[in-house]
Amino acid sequence: MGTTCQICGIDPDSWGVVQSCLDCFLFNCPLYRFEYSTDIATFIAKARGGMCTIAKTDSLELVTHRANYLLNHGFGSYHIFHNNCEDFAIYCKTGLLVIERNGIGRSGQAITFLGAPFSAVVSTPLRFLMANPWGLVAVTVGVYSVSRFAADIGVRSDVAKVEVEDLAANLTGRRT
């Protein structure tokens, strides 16, 4: 059990969607800026998932409305691959949700976690391109980059713009 923050009043043992000060949010970790509306070259150049998306961000007013609405109504149960903090932020900024329930989640970090081993396995049939270690690296990075791009919420075909009131109603099983 931790001590309640004197700045924002957050209990360190809180869970779900919470509002906190920047110090509590960072918890002694660095702040990374997620980029929206990136071009394809920039997207591919960012080797680590969870750093950017091709999806366009909505207006500040709409982003703030979504975040405050979900703060008061919840964002569903946490799941590392399908409903995590990155998913919350991407939804608030874009209004986009993956509509295929059995598909991979929205999170670039989760996709990176799955994508790297997947890339190594998928690239195995391409051994003819891997005459040396640099060939192996090039093929694996290429497959990984293509899989990251194909999984980006800004280019996927299984996403839809969802109003926050509809999202919250579906998460709690009620209609507004």
Side-chain angles (χ1 to χ4, degrees):
M1 286 240 165
T3 307
T4 301
C5 177
Q6 298 301 312
I7 298 169
C8 65
I10 191 81
D11 179 348
D13 298 320
S14 297
W15 56 272
V17 177
V18 296
Q19 185 173 4
S20 70
C21 64
L22 188 57
D23 287 339
C24 288
F25 175 77
L26 293 175
F27 195 66
N28 296 322
C29 294
L31 179 63
Y32 295 99
R33 186 173 179 269
F34 192 93
E35 296 178 36
Y36 293 85
S37 305
T38 60
D39 58 77
I40 295 171
T42 302
F43 183 89
I44 298 297
K46 303 246 183 202
R48 182 177 152 240
M51 299 295 290
C52 61
T53 181
I54 292 171
K56 295 186 182 346
T57 184
D58 290 326
S59 70
L60 177 60
E61 293 78 19
L62 187 52
V63 171
T64 305
H65 169 71
R66 286 183 191 125
N68 285 324
Y69 196 90
L70 293 173
L71 176 64
N72 294 317
H73 294 88
F75 190 60
S77 298
Y78 179 86
H79 187 280
I80 193 163
F81 295 118
H82 298 287
N83 203 40
N84 60 42
C85 56
E86 184 181 348
D87 296 326
F88 175 81
I90 288 173
Y91 171 73
C92 288
K93 290 286 283 185
T94 67
L96 297 174
L97 281 178
V98 176
I99 53 177
E100 175 61 41
R101 291 207 156 232
N102 295 326
I104 54 179
R106 300 170 292 266
S107 172
Q109 291 178 358
I111 290 165
T112 297
F113 176 74
L114 297 172
F118 172 77
S119 298
V121 170
V122 169
S123 62
T124 301
L126 302 173
R127 277 184 230 160
F128 66 91
L129 296 173
M130 299 183 253
N132 63 53
W134 293 112
L136 171 64
V137 170
V139 170
T140 302
V141 168
V143 171
Y144 168 73
S145 297
V146 168
S147 68
R148 264 191 57 239
F149 177 75
D152 183 66
I153 198 160
V155 298
R156 289 174 62 166
S157 61
D158 62 343
V159 298
K161 197 88 156 175
V162 177
E163 296 297 324
V164 69
E165 294 81 5
D166 294 335
L167 172 62
N170 285 327
L171 288 173
T172 59
R174 60 182 166 73
R175 300 276 180 221
T176 55

